[in-house]
Amino acid sequence: MATTGESQSATAGPTERDDQSREGEIFDLLSNQRRRYAIHYCKREDEPVTLGDLAEHVAAWELEKEVEAITSAERKRVYTSLQQTHLPTLERADMIEFDDRTIELTDEAAELDVYLDIVPGDSVPWAVYYLGLTAVGSVVMAGLWLEVIPTETVPELGWATAIFGLFAVSAVVHVVQNRRMRLGEMDRPP
């Protein structure tokens, strides 16, 4: 007897399975920090880059050093890893074109931004933030319905406008931060 998961996958159309497979492949690509750093550098430069320059910057980011402070052994270790493993993996996934010396992002690499919701270490994930904002809004609205919150100083429409304003400002900040935190948008990868 087939389990629920098996029966669902058996009935899924070929395009749904293909989409799930592609999504899994993209998450696998992005699960490796060195590949994310390589994509970040290529996006930031916005033109074909040399393997040597890429290796220097990836090594510097990994070791939290300036490019000038990277030793030849540190550079070579990253260079070899990129050349033999990570760049061929990205090329097989159609994210880059790689000819042993230069690397260029393909149009397929543009779809990677959808899979990256980068949250700085000192920040609350946006989903949790919006959930908290919704809870606060619900408490205020329930207080207004139950007539617990005074409406003499601030009318009900004023409270509703304040809640709407909080959501609107939060959404604008969210969009601006997401655009700033994309791969290739900053000097250092997020």
Side-chain angles (χ1 to χ4, degrees):
M1 180 168 183
T3 64
T4 305
E6 291 172 338
S7 64
Q8 286 176 346
S9 65
T11 59
T15 57
E16 185 178 332
R17 274 191 296 249
D18 293 344
D19 289 346
Q20 290 173 348
S21 174
R22 180 68 176 162
E23 190 173 272
E25 179 184 17
I26 289 171
F27 281 125
D28 185 50
L29 289 174
L30 296 173
S31 70
N32 183 278
Q33 182 183 45
R34 196 165 276 176
R35 286 193 290 264
R36 286 193 312 273
Y37 283 0
I39 292 167
H40 176 79
Y41 183 72
C42 290
K43 281 183 167 241
R44 194 183 81 182
E45 295 302 305
D46 198 28
E47 63 184 16
V49 299
T50 65
L51 181 53
D53 287 343
L54 176 63
E56 283 180 341
H57 283 83
V58 170
W61 291 329
E62 286 181 354
L63 299 169
E64 297 183 3
K65 293 182 173 181
E66 294 297 320
V67 171
E68 298 79 27
I70 298 298
T71 67
S72 62
E74 292 166 338
R75 180 186 176 277
K76 183 172 176 69
R77 187 172 46 250
V78 172
Y79 183 102
T80 302
S81 173
L82 287 169
Q83 184 180 42
Q84 294 178 356
T85 305
H86 300 294
L87 296 178
T89 299
L90 289 169
E91 186 174 43
R92 282 191 300 275
D94 294 326
M95 295 296 151
I96 64 166
E97 291 178 4
F98 173 53
D99 68 5
D100 290 332
R101 293 286 175 240
T102 60
I103 301 99
E104 183 173 11
L105 291 176
T106 65
D107 292 337
E108 294 286 320
E111 75 181 66
L112 295 176
D113 289 338
V114 173
Y115 296 94
L116 293 169
D117 187 11
I118 300 168
V119 179
D122 60 348
S123 177
V124 174
W126 282 105
V128 173
Y129 174 82
Y130 283 115
L131 186 61
L133 193 56
T134 301
V136 168
S138 298
V139 167
V140 169
M141 296 306 287
L144 289 170
W145 285 337
L146 297 172
E147 298 178 1
V148 177
I149 294 179
T151 57
E152 296 83 40
T153 55
V154 180
E156 291 176 357
L157 186 57
W159 285 105
T161 302
I163 292 170
F164 174 79
L166 282 172
F167 274 98
V169 168
S170 297
V172 168
V173 170
H174 187 174
V175 167
V176 168
Q177 183 181 20
N178 273 358
R179 288 179 192 256
R180 197 181 72 233
M181 294 295 291
R182 285 184 183 158
L183 287 178
E185 296 294 321
M186 301 176 293
D187 287 337
R188 257 188 81 60

